């Protein structure tokens, strides 16, 4: 009797065949024997006319290296003081073209082997498909420990295995949505939890502390920063993504703090030192967003003098011909505290989001904020006012409650708006509603992919406050966390995993899974197919190399 397909295999096979997409099982990458030479890491960004590459070397270079692009030389720009980190900006390229690249020393000596990298199609071209690999929360020093010595972040072996399984599907683009670095300072050292404070104190006693009275570059802060970040980015990626354009979106931990608001401190918007740390890491390790003709250079964080011309640090566009336009937005750096006039993104960025949602001619559009729509973990910097409560919290007098008390475990843990979230701004949900309404009014499906919540899953939003979305439900997807360790799942410190806020109606109302994973997203003119992958103990480590999607979401364009 022939073998029967499982429901998961049936869903995967049917959705991909319907989309005209070949099954990827026979299209896996061969082992990578590329000669990296003197490179420590390399991450490239691309558009239809430009490459922006960030690289570091095993040893400092005293003279500027050069990037050869089909024989044309591009001089590197140093991004640290020691000469280990360099930026290469190659402009004036032809669209939809494979270029041969190589990095050479100032004397012409090859510092690595050649490699290919392809530009995107023209913005008005009509490509027939694009494949994305999307995930979140890839950062974390593998040597850091959580409370009681618990694993704080996944080992590099696990992260490498997950990343390589995702890359085995040969994506055209990799998107890492926030939290590339976990190196919180005050929110670890001043935590309400004694075990977290002790773990943080032990860790910083070992690696050292920043001197916030000094500059980041050119002081003892610089080698300390590299010591902290190298394992989280350079050692994680190496040169694996040299031929796959990347988009790295920043979130709260990339500013060296968790997003918290309490009586003794509020971490966002970031203070000057934390902002400088974040900008320095981005400048050295991963590319900013390249310019796109429909995104204004006056958006905050754009076209800074110390960055590549026209690059944006916080707001990005993936434009893949007329097939796809993806809008990416940092919901932390420019957060405002103006009550009903507040926003998680500034007014100029909101206008850009609304204008593009209403006016783009792309066949498919995806919003990708760093703070998720659709679910809440009861944290401060969310679109929603819900907090985690228990029977004990609800019975306590309001005067003794604080944001920290709300994180204490109790009986019957749940999300609620019956208690006020300290320093939450009503304008955040107002901005949420304006974005949701614009997305629902599209003639194409409304799709939003997010990260941050250390979970994987999907649902459809059919109501948001007083907005009825049933005519065009908002598809919401959590793409999966790459590096979250056993101490990092929301159900641990907060006692409750992510769930639906009270203001929303979700069609499935299925809680996301707290598992490591990623998503493979295939887009054709007719549809979008999102395959969600997940792994966590007790599944064995070697199961990662054979990982198959646990669910498949198909979104027809019609």
């Amino acid at each position: 009797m022939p073998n029967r397909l499982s429901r998961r295999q049936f869903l995967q096979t049917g959705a991909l065949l319907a989309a005209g997409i070949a099954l990827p099982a026979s299209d896996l990458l061969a082992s990578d024997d590329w000669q990296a030479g003197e490179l420590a890491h390399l991450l490239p960004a691309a558009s239809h006319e430009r490459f922006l590459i960030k690289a570091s070397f095993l040893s400092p270079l005293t003279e500027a290296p050069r990037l050869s692009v089909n024989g044309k030389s591009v001089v590197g720009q140093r991004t640290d003081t020691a000469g280990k980190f360099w930026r290469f900006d190659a402009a004036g390229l032809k669209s939809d073209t494979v270029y041969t690249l190589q990095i050479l020393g100032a004397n012409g000596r090859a510092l690595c082997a050649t490699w290919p990298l392809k530009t995107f199609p023209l913005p008005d071209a009509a490509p027939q498909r694009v494949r994305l690999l999307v995930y979140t929360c890839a950062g974390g020093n593998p040597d850091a420990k959580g409370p009681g010595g618990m694993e704080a972040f996944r080992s590099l072996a696990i992260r490498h295995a997950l990343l390589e399984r995702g890359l085995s599907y040969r994506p055209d683009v990799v998107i890492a949505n926030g939290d590339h670095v976990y190196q919180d300072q005050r929110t670890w050292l001043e935590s309400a939890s004694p075990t977290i404070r002790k773990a943080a104190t032990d860790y910083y006693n070992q690696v050292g502390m920043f001197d916030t009275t000094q500059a980041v570059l050119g002081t003892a802060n610089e080698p300390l920063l590299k010591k902290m970040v190298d394992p989280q980015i350079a050692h994680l990626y190496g040169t694996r993504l040299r031929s796959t354009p990347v988009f790295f979106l920043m979130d709260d931990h990339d500013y060296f703090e968790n997003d918290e608001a309490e009586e003794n401190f509020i971490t966002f918007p970031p203070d000057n030192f934390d902002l400088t740390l974040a900008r320095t890491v981005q400048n050295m390790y991963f590319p900013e967003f390249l310019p796109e003709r429909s995104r204004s250079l006056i958006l905050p964080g754009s076209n800074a003098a110390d960055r590549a011309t026209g690059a944006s640090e916080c707001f990005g566009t993936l434009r893949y011909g007329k097939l796809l336009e993806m809008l990416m937005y940092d919901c932390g750096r420019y957060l405002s505290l103006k009550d009903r006039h507040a926003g998680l993104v500034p007014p100029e960025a909101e206008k850009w989001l609304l204008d593009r949602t209403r006016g783009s001619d792309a066949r498919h559009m995806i919003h990708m904020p760093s703070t998720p729509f659709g679910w809440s973990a009861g944290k401060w910097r969310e679109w929603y006012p819900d907090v985690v409560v228990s029977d004990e919290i609800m019975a306590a007098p309001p005067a003794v409650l604080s944001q920290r008390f709300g994180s204490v475990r109790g009986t019957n843990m749940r999300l609620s708006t019956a208690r006020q979230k300290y320093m939450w701004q009503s304008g955040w949900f107002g901005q949420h509603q304006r974005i949701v309404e614009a997305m629902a009014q599209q003639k194409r499906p409304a799709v939003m992919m997010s990260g941050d919540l250390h979970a994987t899953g999907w649902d459809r939003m059919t109501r948001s406050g007083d907005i009825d979305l049933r005519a065009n439900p908002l598809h919401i997807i959590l793409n999966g966390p790459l590096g979250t360790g056993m101490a990092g799942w929301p159900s641990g410190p907060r006692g409750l995993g992510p769930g639906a806020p009270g203001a929303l109606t979700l069609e499935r109302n299925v809680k996301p899974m707290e598992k490591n994973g990623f998503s493979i997203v295939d887009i054709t003119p007719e549809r979008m197919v999102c395959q969600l992958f997940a792994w966590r103990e007790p599944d064995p480590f070697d199961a990662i190399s054979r990982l198959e999607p646990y669910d498949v979401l198909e979104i027809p364009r019609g």
Side-chain angles (χ1 to χ4, degrees):
M1 183 175 179
N3 292 331
R4 297 181 64 185
L5 291 175
S6 69
R7 181 177 182 274
R8 180 186 66 193
Q9 292 169 325
F10 176 80
L11 286 171
Q12 178 191 16
T13 303
L16 294 177
L17 290 177
I21 298 166
L23 293 175
S26 61
D27 190 28
L28 303 184
L29 284 173
S31 59
D32 190 350
D33 58 357
W34 186 72
Q35 299 300 308
E38 298 180 30
L39 278 172
H41 99 285
L42 185 147
L43 290 170
S47 69
H48 66 281
E49 60 185 358
R50 191 169 169 186
F51 295 142
L52 179 60
I53 296 172
K54 300 295 180 75
S56 66
F57 295 85
L58 299 174
S59 300
L61 305 178
T62 56
E63 296 183 77
R66 295 175 178 267
L67 175 71
S68 172
V69 184
N70 279 10
K72 181 180 178 181
S73 185
V74 177
V75 179
Q77 300 294 316
R78 190 174 63 188
T79 57
D80 71 339
T81 63
K84 290 187 69 174
F85 289 78
W86 296 83
R87 174 180 76 222
F88 301 94
D89 185 3
L93 306 179
K94 294 181 180 179
S95 64
D96 208 13
T97 301
V98 177
Y99 285 84
T100 299
L101 279 61
Q102 188 173 33
I103 298 178
L104 309 172
N107 59 1
R109 181 175 64 89
L111 301 182
C112 63
T114 61
W115 79 93
L117 186 61
K118 188 178 181 180
T119 52
F120 291 159
L122 284 167
D124 58 357
Q128 293 302 297
R129 67 186 69 246
V130 64
R131 174 172 285 179
L132 316 176
L133 166 60
V134 191
Y135 54 84
T136 186
C137 305
N141 192 315
D143 295 328
K145 298 298 181 183
M150 186 183 298
E151 175 200 64
F153 307 102
R154 290 302 190 184
S155 67
L156 283 180
I158 289 175
R159 279 179 266 186
H160 286 157
L162 288 165
L163 185 60
E164 286 164 5
R165 181 55 179 159
L167 290 173
S168 74
Y169 285 87
R170 292 190 177 274
D172 300 294
V173 180
V174 168
I175 301 170
N177 187 348
D179 294 341
H180 318 293
V181 175
Y182 286 86
Q183 209 68 52
D184 298 358
Q185 299 172 102
R186 295 191 67 183
T187 47
W188 283 358
L189 291 167
E190 300 180 32
S191 170
S193 167
T195 55
I196 293 178
R197 289 200 305 272
K198 183 181 185 307
T201 300
D202 292 344
Y203 176 72
Y204 280 113
N205 284 340
Q206 177 184 355
V207 301
M209 285 287 294
F210 291 116
D211 182 350
T212 59
T213 68
Q214 300 292 316
V216 173
L217 292 178
T219 70
N221 287 327
E222 183 176 345
L224 178 57
L225 181 68
K226 296 172 183 176
K227 179 181 178 181
M228 291 176 173
V229 178
D230 270 355
Q232 306 187 51
I233 299 180
H235 298 174
L236 171 59
Y237 293 105
T239 58
R240 287 175 173 82
L241 304 184
R242 63 188 177 275
S243 295
T244 310
V246 302
F247 289 80
F248 273 47
L249 178 62
M250 292 199 290
D251 197 27
D252 56 339
H253 294 282
D254 298 307
Y255 294 92
F256 288 72
E257 293 292 2
N258 189 33
D259 49 354
E260 293 188 17
E262 305 183 10
E263 291 184 1
N264 58 331
F265 62 80
I266 298 174
T267 56
F268 279 83
D271 65 24
N272 185 65
F273 188 79
D274 285 351
L275 178 59
T276 304
L277 287 174
R279 296 191 73 245
T280 302
V281 169
Q282 184 184 48
N283 198 28
M284 292 196 300
Y285 286 91
F286 56 87
E288 297 84 2
F289 300 115
L290 285 169
E292 201 275 330
R293 63 187 183 187
S294 65
R295 195 180 70 240
S296 172
L297 292 179
I298 67 168
L299 285 183
S302 300
N303 205 30
D306 61 345
R307 302 297 156 117
T309 302
S312 173
E313 299 168 45
C314 299
F315 306 109
T317 309
L318 167 53
R319 177 79 187 201
Y320 204 85
K322 287 188 176 182
L323 180 62
L324 171 66
E325 184 168 335
M326 178 183 285
L327 306 176
M328 291 166 273
Y329 38 112
D330 180 333
C331 300
R333 182 183 295 192
Y334 296 105
L335 167 158
S336 60
L337 304 173
K338 300 178 180 178
D339 193 22
R340 63 189 181 90
H341 300 293
L344 291 183
V345 299
E348 304 93 328
E350 180 186 329
K351 183 178 185 304
W352 161 66
L353 294 171
L354 299 181
D355 288 348
R356 294 311 301 157
T357 303
R358 293 164 179 155
S360 173
D361 61 352
R363 184 77 176 162
H364 298 275
M365 172 167 281
I366 300 173
H367 277 238
M368 183 169 283
S370 66
T371 298
F373 280 50
W375 292 282
S376 169
K379 293 179 62 180
W380 168 58
R381 188 201 50 142
E382 292 183 333
W383 303 98
Y384 313 108
D386 305 67
V387 295
V388 177
V389 301
S390 65
D391 290 344
E392 291 82 354
I393 291 173
M394 294 304 295
V400 304
L401 290 176
S402 69
Q403 181 73 0
R404 292 187 175 187
F405 189 87
S407 67
V408 176
R409 285 180 176 272
T411 56
N412 191 22
M413 302 293 290
R414 59 196 182 275
L415 289 171
S416 174
T417 57
R419 295 291 188 181
Q420 187 174 359
K421 184 182 289 188
Y422 180 71
M423 286 300 294
W424 184 81
Q425 309 292 299
S426 63
W428 298 348
F429 186 66
Q431 188 171 70
H432 170 285
Q433 294 295 81
R434 293 188 293 274
I435 294 172
V436 165
E437 187 168 35
M439 294 183 72
Q441 291 172 350
Q442 298 177 101
K443 294 183 179 179
R444 58 189 157 232
V447 182
M448 180 166 286
M449 298 179 182
S450 306
D452 181 63
L453 280 183
H454 308 282
T456 173
W458 68 272
D459 214 318
R460 294 185 186 93
M461 189 188 302
T462 58
R463 180 171 292 276
S464 178
D466 59 359
I467 303 176
D468 187 340
L469 303 171
R470 287 174 294 179
N472 188 14
L474 175 55
H475 298 80
I476 48 175
I477 303 166
L478 293 175
N479 292 106
L482 207 67
T484 304
M486 299 305 290
W489 305 115
S491 60
R494 300 184 190 98
L496 186 71
L504 305 184
T505 300
L506 303 186
E507 181 179 87
R508 301 166 73 227
N509 203 28
V510 176
K511 289 192 174 184
M513 293 194 303
E514 292 183 318
K515 290 189 176 184
N516 298 105
F518 56 85
S519 297
I520 295 291
V521 185
D522 286 294
I523 301 170
T524 65
E526 295 77 24
R527 70 195 72 243
M528 203 180 292
V529 179
C530 181
Q531 304 178 72
L532 285 83
F533 295 73
W535 175 90
R536 186 175 171 181
E537 297 87 350
D539 294 344
F541 170 79
D542 61 6
I544 298 175
S545 65
R546 305 184 301 274
L547 208 59
E548 296 293 334
Y550 72 87
D551 207 348
V552 179
L553 170 62
E554 181 179 356
I555 308 173
R557 172 60 175 82

